[in-house]
Amino acid sequence: MRIYTGPLSLFAKKVQIAAREKNLALEVAPVPFNMHDQYRQKHPEVVRINPKQQVPVLVDGDLELFDSTVICEYFEDLQAQPPLWPSDPRARAHARLWELKVDEVLAPEVIALMDPQARETPALAKPHHTRIQAFYFTVDEVLDTCSYLAGDFSYADIAMYITHYFAGLLGAKIPETMPNLRRWRKEMEQRESVQAETDSMREYLQKHVA
């Protein structure tokens, strides 16, 4: 399987972490990216396959998929073990909802911090930091009664980790007043799949962002 990915794509990293958890081999195909133009020089295969012209895009023989959640669902059908959705229907629904919240509510606030104006003007970044911290507070409350977002380790935790990790690199760190979220982070960062994908993201930002 081949994945088209960018160095700072939260959604592609989610897929790559999931593939490592499933022990699925991926051929990584980087797409053009830089901090100024970002993805404006679109990769022709990404343009052809994904109407939104975004990574990740997965190609497995004659099967072509886009959208990180769709790709992760394919992984779950392709390789059942280890399961990355809870077995209980209600817990599984909670996990899917949390993944959606991370992708659709938290991630846009984090991505906004990449904007050069937000990086250079604290007043422009402040509203995004405020909303990120509010999201963290909700997650911290949930983690007061369970080890992971939906009970068992799932795609929701993968999505949350990579998004919060990127936020931290951009200055939106977890406050000391959120012990449950900080405990969860320590457990997550011990996973080899997570370490492998976050190291490259940190190195890229250190090299290209002052």
Side-chain angles (χ1 to χ4, degrees):
M1 292 186 289
R2 174 182 298 168
I3 183 172
Y4 291 90
T5 180
L8 300 180
S9 171
L10 304 178
F11 304 110
K13 289 292 186 182
K14 179 174 73 174
V15 168
Q16 290 170 258
I17 290 172
R20 289 179 181 275
E21 290 284 342
K22 292 282 189 180
N23 199 29
L24 294 169
L26 291 181
E27 174 192 344
V28 176
V31 304
F33 177 86
N34 64 67
M35 293 300 295
H36 177 72
D37 296 321
Q38 297 194 11
Y39 294 103
R40 291 194 182 98
Q41 184 183 347
K42 302 290 186 178
H43 193 288
E45 283 297 275
V46 173
V47 172
R48 181 182 68 81
I49 295 169
N50 186 355
K52 296 175 71 175
Q53 301 184 7
Q54 298 172 345
V55 295
V57 165
L58 184 81
V59 177
D60 187 8
D62 60 356
L63 178 66
E64 299 172 337
L65 300 174
F66 60 90
D67 184 85
S68 62
T69 301
V70 171
I71 295 170
C72 287
E73 293 285 4
Y74 176 58
F75 287 171
E76 200 67 12
D77 291 335
L78 192 65
Q79 176 65 278
Q81 299 298 324
L84 292 180
W85 289 125
S87 58
D88 176 75
R90 293 176 68 88
R92 189 160 61 247
H94 279 299
R96 285 181 165 136
L97 186 59
W98 268 114
E99 187 207 21
L100 179 67
K101 288 179 180 179
V102 171
D103 287 356
E104 300 295 333
V105 179
L106 179 61
E109 302 292 347
V110 174
I111 292 169
L113 296 179
M114 283 185 64
D115 184 276
Q117 290 184 323
R119 296 203 306 270
E120 296 168 5
T121 309
L124 294 178
K126 186 176 179 179
H128 301 294
H129 282 280
T130 299
R131 288 189 284 270
I132 290 169
Q133 295 303 311
F135 194 97
Y136 286 175
F137 179 78
T138 301
V139 174
D140 187 73
E141 286 190 318
V142 169
L143 292 172
D144 187 44
T145 57
C146 55
S147 297
Y148 296 102
L149 283 171
D152 296 328
F153 173 74
S154 72
Y155 291 109
D157 298 287
I158 295 174
M160 180 62 195
Y161 186 86
I162 197 64
T163 305
H164 109 280
Y165 180 84
F166 189 42
L169 293 177
L170 296 173
K173 300 185 182 298
I174 299 173
E176 295 287 344
T177 54
M178 298 184 186
N180 303 314
L181 187 53
R182 295 175 72 86
R183 180 265 307 160
W184 169 88
R185 182 184 65 186
K186 288 181 180 179
E187 293 181 6
M188 287 290 296
E189 65 191 12
Q190 298 304 313
R191 305 184 80 93
E192 292 183 7
S193 62
V194 167
Q195 293 174 7
E197 297 301 336
T198 53
D199 284 351
S200 62
M201 180 179 283
R202 184 186 66 253
E203 290 166 4
Y204 187 93
L205 275 175
Q206 288 175 340
K207 182 176 181 181
H208 296 281
V209 179

